[in-house]
Amino acid sequence: MKDNNKDLAFKIIDLMKQQGIKADTFTYSALIGFYCDNENSDAAVKIVQDIIATGNKPSIVLYNNLISSLLRNDKQQLAQDIVQQMESEDIQPSDHTHSIILQTYLKEQLEFGLQYFQINKEFHKDDPVSYTMIIQALCRERRIEEALSYFEEMKKAVRYVDVIPYFSILELLAKEPSETDRVIPLLEELIEAQLALDIKQYNVILKASIDRIDVAMRVFQMLKDQPDVRPTVATYTILIDYFSSNSQYKESEELLAEMTNDNIQMSVITLNSLVKGYAKDGQYDKAMDIIRQSP
């Protein structure tokens, strides 16, 4: 495809000129994206070079789009060359430029991304987005201590820390049995900072920590104590499934009663968890009672 369309961008631009239509940043960016996505990065770079050759200076937005397209297509060295070209033309890479590069490296080459952050720290030192991207990348790799280290650094460096890095770390801590005890103190810190998880985030943490039912129940209670978020059927089902699977029917039935009091109707998944538990232990009459009580 790239051979058949080698000069497509320039033909389009010439046609626009003939029609009296001036190509703008959006036009050039679209063409750059087209060429990069079709593995013709040389043609993408040539668009910028031709703009320069006409005596014009490409905008920072156009450079950012070129760098983003190159990185998206694994052209890291070429992207770095473009950054150096920008600097040689007295166009300083913006914070957004560095964020684009950092985000790509963190997704594809985590170690290089961390090095890039340290080398260019002056651009990122008070940027919450950069810190959040690093923390999320480290959490994806289950590198808990490093994620926590960057999180502590973030809290000292930026003016405001939002809920996203808190949630990323909470989810990871909840998934690791040896780290689950650290969930509650961090959740308390989040609440004290007047931040709020939504119910989906609470459910993720609850499910991840369920093998430590003492921690899961503390999370559940803290959720219920919050004024702006309420348990859903999914919340209750996570707990009911655990208790039913472990033949702890008193707890399951208490949660079911609580659901009823809160006007939360059990789902098919909730019903199945209860019936499966009773049937496993040979309590078929109880299983049938639950089925009859279901809506």
Side-chain angles (χ1 to χ4, degrees):
M1 185 174 186
K2 62 182 181 181
D3 293 332
N4 293 336
N5 293 285
K6 187 174 181 181
D7 298 317
L8 178 61
F10 308 105
K11 291 178 181 177
I12 291 173
I13 292 171
D14 287 341
L15 180 61
M16 290 175 66
K17 287 178 180 178
Q18 293 172 19
Q19 299 294 323
I21 303 171
K22 185 177 180 180
D24 58 12
T25 297
F26 179 81
T27 310
Y28 288 122
S29 295
L31 294 170
I32 284 170
F34 168 80
Y35 273 127
C36 285
D37 290 344
N38 284 278
E39 301 180 5
N40 199 340
S41 54
D42 290 340
V45 173
K46 189 174 185 300
I47 291 175
V48 173
Q49 292 172 339
D50 282 8
I51 294 172
I52 296 171
T54 62
N56 296 310
K57 184 178 288 189
S59 69
I60 185 68
V61 173
L62 188 61
Y63 271 120
N64 286 347
N65 288 333
L66 175 58
I67 291 167
S68 178
S69 294
L70 291 172
L71 289 173
R72 191 171 63 246
N73 290 276
D74 299 322
K75 300 292 182 180
Q76 284 86 356
Q77 185 56 55
L78 194 50
Q80 291 180 47
D81 293 342
I82 294 298
V83 173
Q84 292 176 359
Q85 178 179 317
M86 291 171 63
E87 293 172 341
S88 70
E89 294 168 5
D90 294 325
I91 300 176
Q92 289 302 313
S94 65
D95 290 347
H96 184 56
T97 310
H98 288 288
S99 290
I100 290 170
I101 297 171
L102 177 64
Q103 183 178 31
T104 304
Y105 283 144
L106 289 173
K107 286 182 178 179
E108 306 296 335
Q109 302 178 43
L110 178 54
E111 295 304 327
F112 198 90
L114 296 175
Q115 292 175 22
Y116 183 86
F117 177 82
Q118 295 298 333
I119 293 169
N120 297 279
K121 204 166 188 177
E122 61 180 297
F123 296 100
H124 304 287
K125 61 184 178 182
D126 58 354
D127 176 26
V129 174
S130 296
Y131 276 105
T132 297
M133 288 192 296
I134 288 175
I135 290 166
Q136 289 179 313
L138 290 169
C139 286
R140 284 195 297 271
E141 297 296 319
R142 296 179 177 264
R143 291 162 62 168
I144 296 174
E145 296 305 326
E146 288 172 90
L148 286 168
S149 177
Y150 273 100
F151 186 50
E152 291 303 316
E153 182 179 316
M154 177 186 186
K155 287 188 285 186
K156 295 174 183 176
V158 308
R159 293 182 180 179
Y160 175 74
V161 179
D162 69 14
V163 75
I164 298 173
Y166 274 101
F167 172 67
S168 296
I169 294 174
L170 281 166
E171 181 182 10
L172 179 57
L173 293 174
K175 286 178 177 178
E176 299 291 338
S178 63
E179 303 292 342
T180 310
D181 284 330
R182 302 165 83 170
V183 167
I184 300 303
L186 187 58
L187 186 53
E188 289 173 339
E189 180 185 311
L190 178 150
I191 293 170
E192 188 174 330
Q194 298 185 326
L195 298 172
L197 297 173
D198 63 30
I199 188 57
K200 289 183 179 179
Q201 291 168 326
Y202 267 111
N203 287 346
V204 167
I205 296 168
L206 193 66
K207 187 171 183 177
S209 62
I210 197 66
D211 288 334
R212 280 289 307 277
I213 192 59
D214 57 326
V215 174
M217 290 304 291
R218 285 283 308 280
V219 172
F220 180 57
Q221 187 58 53
M222 293 171 78
L223 156 61
K224 292 195 293 181
D225 290 342
Q226 301 312 303
D228 299 323
V229 60
R230 304 307 305 159
T232 63
V233 63
T235 314
Y236 283 103
T237 300
I238 292 167
L239 296 169
I240 288 172
D241 182 68
Y242 172 86
F243 286 123
S244 295
S245 298
N246 288 276
S247 303
Q248 294 176 256
Y249 301 112
K250 177 176 178 293
E251 289 83 355
S252 293
E253 290 168 8
E254 287 175 352
L255 287 164
L256 192 59
E258 190 175 313
M259 285 178 63
T260 303
N261 290 337
D262 289 343
N263 295 316
I264 298 174
Q265 192 174 76
M266 68 173 167
S267 67
V268 172
I269 299 173
T270 319
L271 176 65
N272 288 343
S273 295
L274 287 163
V275 170
K276 182 175 64 176
Y278 284 123
K280 173 176 66 71
D281 290 338
Q283 299 188 43
Y284 300 110
D285 290 343
K286 191 66 177 176
M288 291 305 298
D289 286 344
I290 291 293
I291 294 172
R292 292 188 194 99
Q293 293 171 24
S294 63

